[in-house]
Amino acid sequence: GQQLNQSPQSMFIQEGEDVSMNCTSSSIFNTWLWYKQDPGEGPVLLIALYKAGELTSNGRLTAQFGITRKDSFLNISASIPSDVGIYFCAGPLSGGGADGLTFGKGTHLIIQP
Amino acid sequence: NAGVTQTPKFQVLKTGQSMTLQCAQDMNHNSMYWYRQDPGMGLRLIYYSASEGTTDKGEVPNGYNVSRLNKREFSLRLESAAPSQTSVYFCASSPVRASTDTQYFGPGTRLTVL
């Protein structure tokens, strides 16, 4: 089946630093999604990408849809304490007509005071 | 606006017991989904429903059944719980499709099977 590989698995940074994480796929995706999950909550959509090469921002977050359609990147600028959480990339499950998403294992962002 | 609600929030079962997880959305969405999340893992799709009266298997459907009771409600049933089903279960909904519309998640049900 499809596999999404996220890296890094976890990041320990200081407040104010910029963050970069990425996701690669074993197959081509037509959509890339980035979600954030706070402790004890369900994931929340941050950014959706629908076109190869697309660069989209949401406040301090910027995500890119890789040209090969097999990767995507998420950057967070000037991190703040509320950025702490788990960031997941996701894409459509394959299989003609099937719905639902497949998720990476997540990047755990920890901000040190 | 409650969004997606799930009950119960926590549940402990013994092996072999059955239970139903409830999910409801008040956004008039057509599609609803059940995912499970295991420690250190991303979410994996169990079942989904594209419309009232239809359901389809996802990546990990074995050991589960679902019912799309009406447009608002989508339940997940474990007929004979096993320790391997210990997980956090998330319900989600989308206006039409998860890949083209925002998918909204509930707060999760934390299930432990002893």
Side-chain angles (χ1 to χ4, degrees):
Chain A
Q2 297 165 295
Q3 282 200 332
L4 294 182
N5 298 306
Q6 274 189 258
S7 64
Q9 191 172 8
S10 58
M11 301 183 74
F12 295 81
I13 64 167
Q14 299 208 326
E15 185 176 349
E17 285 186 21
D18 295 343
V19 172
S20 291
M21 60 189 79
N22 70 81
C23 190
T24 59
S25 169
S26 56
S27 55
I28 288 173
F29 276 74
N30 293 317
T31 300
W32 281 97
L33 306 166
W34 285 93
Y35 282 83
K36 183 193 178 199
Q37 185 178 30
D38 290 327
E41 303 288 333
V44 174
L45 182 66
L46 297 173
I47 293 179
L49 302 160
Y50 299 111
K51 188 176 177 182
E54 181 181 356
L55 190 71
T56 298
S57 294
N58 178 4
R60 293 177 297 104
L61 278 62
T62 302
Q64 183 161 23
F65 192 141
I67 290 292
T68 65
R69 293 163 63 192
K70 289 188 174 183
D71 55 9
S72 181
F73 308 88
L74 177 69
N75 296 314
I76 305 173
S77 62
S79 58
I80 60 177
S82 62
D83 291 334
V84 165
I86 306 176
Y87 292 79
F88 292 100
C89 61
L93 273 171
S94 65
D99 195 13
L101 301 176
T102 184
F103 285 78
K105 293 184 179 180
T107 293
H108 198 168
L109 182 61
I110 299 158
I111 298 180
Q112 298 169 319
Chain B
N1 189 349
V4 179
T5 57
Q6 294 184 235
T7 55
K9 286 189 176 2
F10 301 94
Q11 184 70 48
V12 178
L13 293 177
K14 294 181 179 177
T15 297
Q17 287 185 317
S18 62
M19 79 161 295
T20 300
L21 282 64
Q22 307 287 353
C23 173
Q25 52 92 8
D26 61 3
M27 296 174 280
N28 201 36
H29 287 170
N30 289 314
S31 299
M32 297 185 73
Y33 313 81
W34 276 104
Y35 292 87
R36 62 177 286 174
Q37 183 178 30
D38 299 309
M41 300 287 289
L43 284 73
R44 291 182 293 168
L45 182 67
I46 305 171
Y47 271 94
Y48 68 96
S49 169
S51 62
E52 185 179 345
T54 68
T55 61
D56 286 284
K57 294 178 180 179
E59 296 176 280
V60 288
N62 292 344
Y64 305 96
N65 287 301
V66 291
S67 296
R68 183 74 181 268
L69 305 168
N70 48 55
K71 192 170 186 179
R72 290 188 65 247
E73 297 171 291
F74 189 36
S75 62
L76 178 72
R77 182 160 178 84
L78 287 71
E79 289 291 352
S80 178
S84 60
Q85 294 178 305
T86 293
S87 191
V88 182
Y89 291 86
F90 289 99
C91 178
S93 70
S94 291
V96 178
R97 288 180 67 84
S99 58
T100 55
D101 305 311
T102 299
Q103 193 167 60
Y104 296 86
F105 285 83
T109 293
R110 284 143 187 83
L111 175 67
T112 300
V113 183
L114 302 175

